[in-house]
Amino acid sequence: MAALKVFHVSDVPNLDQVPEKASLSLYSTRFSKGVELNRAASCRTPNFLLIGHRGHGMNISQSSDSRMKAIKENSLLSFNSAAKFPLDFIEFDVQVTKDDCPVIFHDDVILSEENGTIFEKRVTELCLAEFLCYGPQKEAGKEGKCLYRKTKDGKYDKWNVETDDSLCTLQEAFQKVEPSLGFNIELKFDDYKVYQQDHLTHILQVILQVVFEFARDRPIIFSTFQPDAAQLVRKLQNNYPVFFLTEGGTETYYDVRRNSLEEAMKVCLEGGLQGIVSEIKGVFKDPGAVPKIKESNLSLLTYGKLNNVPEAVYMQYLMGIDGVIVDFVEEISRTVDSMIKPEEAASGEESEANSKLRFSQKELSFLLKLIPELIQQH
């Protein structure tokens, strides 16, 4: 694939060229009417967005749960496997190679082995051809370099999954993934690196060029932990909603804008962003932040391991959270299906699964007081 040409800010649609309400009320309509992701909207539909994490779910090599090692994350196979379930979006991570090609990969570095030694290379310092030579190869008979991952205890494990797949580019995802499935594109940057605005601008323009050329009618959400990139991508385009990612205070960073839900709200309101994506523990620690976020006309999505627990997902639905990013797409899609459809059914009959999950207002009030204590002690 030839390197993508560079283009200037003037080539990107100006904020004033597209009416805000028309351009930002974008959502997936595959299986539901969706949530209106629009700050200008005075109200939202009660529907709950379900988003597949890195497609069909992230990989954890040391996990005892086989579902965390089923399909290679952030791959075309993972994306199209996720598309078989009633998801609104899939979430994946985009970085830009040295020769200006947006690729899909979560980690900042590629880990591989050469002559018995594990080495690492930054994804952003590789050209596209180098990046694609790792893992399974599309060309018959060609063997790719073995991928490794670093474990929490500092060891290196081979990145083994039950069903492997090749690394891929953003363009390939647009061209080869079920077109009705929305893309939550996480703009991936190094958590501990300081970026100059001109560099951020260049990276974002390269990504936007691919999006504008290949997205067609596909619903898109941008998200990023990098506050400057979040505000900048909002300035560079007016077609798609931008969400600010935050750990919600569960981790501490030098940049204070990343350290709480309150700071995340400030980033969104100052930059005209459409919403927040928070680690669910941050929300459960501070459930009082949810009504404040909603009163600010911001949407709220969550991610995290607790989103693989059906009861935790249903609790968020009751709290008014707009959607969840999950790994166990099959199991949680059943939960979401059971929590929405029975409530919309005219008969009022509930499925057995839904009746097990239902809380009264009194129970919900009690749980909202209890959960922060439990999370604090965890």
Side-chain angles (χ1 to χ4, degrees):
M1 177 183 169
L4 296 166
K5 69 173 183 179
V6 179
F7 62 99
H8 300 287
V9 178
S10 58
D11 296 329
V12 183
N14 186 281
L15 283 176
D16 298 327
Q17 291 175 335
V18 189
E20 181 172 307
K21 188 156 186 175
S23 62
L24 293 176
S25 53
L26 296 174
Y27 46 81
S28 172
T29 55
R30 293 183 79 220
F31 299 96
S32 68
K33 291 181 181 177
V35 175
E36 190 171 12
L37 303 172
N38 180 5
R39 279 192 60 215
S42 58
C43 62
R44 292 174 176 80
T45 66
N47 301 56
F48 193 70
L49 290 181
L50 185 60
I51 303 169
H53 188 210
R54 304 183 199 171
H56 192 267
M58 71 181 291
N59 298 150
I60 301 179
S61 60
Q62 288 187 308
S63 175
S64 58
D65 193 322
S66 61
R67 291 173 293 185
M68 306 303 281
K69 298 175 279 190
I71 302 172
K72 173 66 72 65
E73 68 177 36
N74 277 337
S75 67
L76 296 176
L77 179 62
S78 181
F79 301 155
N80 283 316
S81 297
K84 296 174 184 176
F85 300 97
L87 304 182
D88 297 288
F89 289 80
I90 50 169
E91 178 271 352
F92 54 77
D93 312 272
V94 171
Q95 305 183 57
V96 174
T97 61
K98 186 170 66 175
D99 52 349
D100 284 349
C101 183
V103 295
I104 299 176
F105 197 77
H106 173 270
D107 301 352
D108 292 327
V109 297
I110 290 255
L111 293 171
S112 193
E113 182 262 341
E114 204 168 273
N115 301 322
T117 303
I118 301 290
F119 66 88
E120 64 177 46
K121 292 185 178 180
R122 285 191 165 274
V123 173
T124 54
E125 292 174 2
L126 298 171
C127 66
L128 177 60
E130 290 175 291
F131 172 77
L132 294 176
C133 77
Y134 294 96
Q137 298 296 290
K138 292 167 184 168
E139 191 180 323
K142 189 176 180 183
E143 191 171 333
K145 296 178 183 177
C146 187
L147 284 167
Y148 285 75
R149 264 191 155 171
K150 197 172 186 177
T151 62
K152 286 186 177 179
D153 55 8
K155 295 177 182 177
Y156 295 98
D157 275 353
K158 280 190 177 181
W159 193 340
N160 290 326
V161 290
E162 188 178 322
T163 310
D164 214 339
D165 196 22
S166 308
L167 301 182
C168 67
T169 66
L170 178 60
Q171 180 177 328
E172 285 179 300
F174 277 118
Q175 293 174 322
K176 298 178 181 179
V177 174
E178 161 60 44
S180 64
L181 186 61
F183 283 178
N184 172 191
I185 299 174
E186 180 182 337
L187 306 164
K188 190 79 178 172
F189 296 95
D190 190 321
D191 286 336
Y192 302 100
K193 187 174 178 181
V194 177
Y195 291 90
Q196 299 300 317
Q197 182 164 322
D198 58 347
H199 179 69
L200 284 178
T201 300
H202 175 75
I203 295 300
L204 295 174
Q205 287 175 330
V206 168
I207 294 169
L208 286 172
Q209 183 180 7
V210 174
V211 173
F212 290 149
E213 186 172 349
F214 296 101
R216 299 178 184 256
D217 296 326
R218 190 188 298 272
I220 305 288
I221 299 171
F222 288 116
S223 63
T224 182
F225 285 102
Q226 222 292 343
D228 296 321
Q231 295 183 342
L232 191 53
V233 76
R234 177 68 180 93
K235 289 176 182 175
L236 289 174
Q237 60 81 44
N238 193 36
N239 294 50
Y240 304 111
V242 180
F243 281 54
F244 180 52
L245 272 158
T246 178
E247 279 92 346
T250 59
E251 299 285 342
T252 304
Y253 292 89
Y254 177 75
D255 190 333
V256 296
R257 295 175 295 177
R258 296 191 57 181
N259 292 341
S260 70
L261 286 168
E262 186 179 351
E263 287 294 331
M265 283 179 62
K266 289 181 187 175
V267 171
C268 291
L269 296 173
E270 287 171 7
L273 311 187
Q274 283 67 48
I276 296 169
V277 185
S278 175
E279 219 296 345
I280 182 51
K281 284 186 180 180
V283 176
F284 279 166
K285 277 184 178 179
D286 184 17
V290 176
K292 294 176 185 175
I293 291 168
K294 309 299 277 187
E295 286 163 13
S296 299
N297 281 328
L298 296 170
S299 295
L300 177 61
L301 307 173
T302 68
Y303 72 94
K305 290 181 182 177
L306 280 174
N307 281 358
N308 295 322
V309 179
E311 290 81 0
V313 171
Y314 191 67
M315 170 65 77
Q316 294 176 67
Y317 171 68
L318 295 176
M319 290 170 69
I321 288 168
D322 294 308
V324 290
I325 299 172
V326 305
D327 294 299
F328 300 160
V329 295
E330 181 175 2
E331 295 80 354
I332 302 302
S333 64
R334 284 202 299 262
T335 299
V336 171
D337 194 49
S338 70
M339 70 173 70
I340 292 175
K341 286 192 176 179
E343 294 180 9
E344 293 178 339
S347 65
E349 293 178 4
E350 296 178 356
S351 67
E352 184 182 345
N354 194 50
S355 62
K356 286 180 182 177
L357 290 170
R358 181 171 294 284
F359 302 110
S360 69
Q361 274 303 120
K362 188 175 181 181
E363 289 169 332
L364 179 59
S365 177
F366 171 76
L367 286 168
L368 286 174
K369 291 175 184 175
L370 177 65
I371 285 173
E373 297 297 324
L374 296 175
I375 295 292
Q376 201 69 43
Q377 293 172 28
H378 183 66

